[in-house]
Amino acid sequence: MANAVGLLAGYALDRLLGDPRRWHPVAGFGQAAGALERRLYRPDRTAGAVFTALAVGGPVLLGAAAAAATRRRPVTRAVLVAAGTWTVLGGRTLRHEATVMGGALRDGDLPAARRRLGHLCGRDPSTLGESGLARATVESVAENTSDAVVAPLVWGAVAGLPGLLGYRAANTLDAMVGHRSARYARFGTPAARLDDLLNLVPSRLTGLLTIAVAPVANGDRERAWQVWRRDRNDHPSPNAGQCEAAMAGALGVRLGGRNVYFGRSEVRPFLGDGPRPEARHLKRAARISGAVGLAALGLAAAYPLTVGRLAAAVGRRGLSAAVSRRGLAGAVSRRRPGAVVAGSGR
């Protein structure tokens, strides 16, 4: 119950206030991780694995210690989970950035829109026009709805404070070192793979929820379902395609194509049918993102009171049965030679 209340309160804080403007804990973690990287960096995966284990293990242990300390203090536990949830969520900020980008594009202010793109993704905006900027925004909103909203709620529901802090640490490391560059091609692989693993379920849930809520933005559920089933596995990322294909179908647009980053470029397969995104699609994408977040919140808050409670009960029953069997085995092994165990019959 404390975890469920904390998730609800933390989501409400993010919805009302957005990210903390100063002293953001995630920014502080990023600085600490950067310092750790400078000490451990070598261009190989073993060093990257050690770095990832230390950088993610620290927040997980901190969350586990806080959860253990508040085991019999539900109010304190709820407050800590609320603070952790508020810290790791980014839904309001994501929707705000999409709205600001849409306004700049509608006003024809391409320089302002290009400057704003860095708040959403790492692409080089210098040569992008309205369509390219709109596409980058829609794709970022789709993917980050999973990364910044659904996945933290899922891991918070499943594992409480350790899940919230551990997921955000892993996702932050992926953004720092998980990209394909000369420096991080090998060192960043463990962080990227861990982030992929943690997002397998949340990304697919995000895709399904995007399909379910498509009508809130005048989208077509049937079209979104068809595009998601057809195109979701075409993306080179095992997770991003789940979210982007569903969003493309819900908006009736075509995503994918050539992405130019600073110093490199990638060609992504097309997802969806229809025209390229325009400024008018960004408000609809933000609306879908908000609806997906609310739906994920409902599932996350219900989990500790339903599936989580059932799993705990099954676990306790299994542990009790194992202890009973061990006690019986000990009693049999200690009986006198030739003695008869009560009830065994001869």
Side-chain angles (χ1 to χ4, degrees), residues 148-302:
V149 183
V150 177
L153 290 173
V154 167
W155 285 107
V158 171
L161 271 172
L164 285 167
L165 301 184
Y167 172 77
R168 178 49 64 209
N171 189 247
T172 302
L173 290 190
D174 180 58
M176 292 174 61
V177 306
H179 43 85
R180 300 183 184 92
S181 66
R183 178 177 175 84
Y184 297 125
R186 297 182 66 80
F187 181 84
T189 297
R193 294 294 176 266
L194 177 60
D195 183 71
D196 287 343
L197 178 63
L198 295 179
N199 279 293
L200 282 176
V201 172
S203 64
R204 284 149 181 80
L205 177 60
T206 300
L208 292 172
L209 291 177
T210 298
I211 295 167
V213 305
V216 305
N218 299 319
D220 185 331
R221 281 199 189 106
E222 182 62 28
R223 179 180 59 198
W225 170 255
Q226 291 174 354
V227 170
W228 181 74
R229 291 190 63 191
R230 185 191 69 195
D231 297 344
R232 59 190 170 130
N233 293 320
D234 292 343
H235 198 285
S237 165
N239 299 317
Q242 306 288 330
C243 314
E244 293 181 19
M247 183 67 81
L251 296 178
V253 297
R254 194 181 208 193
L255 302 178
R258 184 169 179 260
N259 296 340
V260 178
Y261 300 91
F262 295 93
R264 63 189 176 90
S265 65
E266 297 178 4
V267 177
R268 303 281 177 82
F270 292 120
L271 307 176
D273 306 301
R276 285 303 207 176
E278 301 173 2
R280 60 190 175 90
H281 292 110
L282 302 191
K283 185 175 182 180
R284 294 174 61 200
R287 191 177 302 158
I288 288 174
S289 178
V292 168
L294 282 174
L297 174 66
L299 295 175

Side-chain angles (χ1 to χ4, degrees), residues 19 21 90-105 112-113 115-121 133 137-138 140-141 144 282-283 286:
D19 289 334
R21 295 185 179 275
R92 179 185 172 95
T93 299
L94 179 63
R95 296 189 299 275
H96 172 72
E97 292 298 330
T99 301
V100 171
M101 178 67 78
L105 292 178
R115 288 192 299 269
R116 203 74 195 183
L117 187 64
H119 293 253
L120 286 166
C121 63
L133 291 165
T137 302
V138 170
S140 297
V141 168
N144 284 300
L282 302 191
K283 185 175 182 180

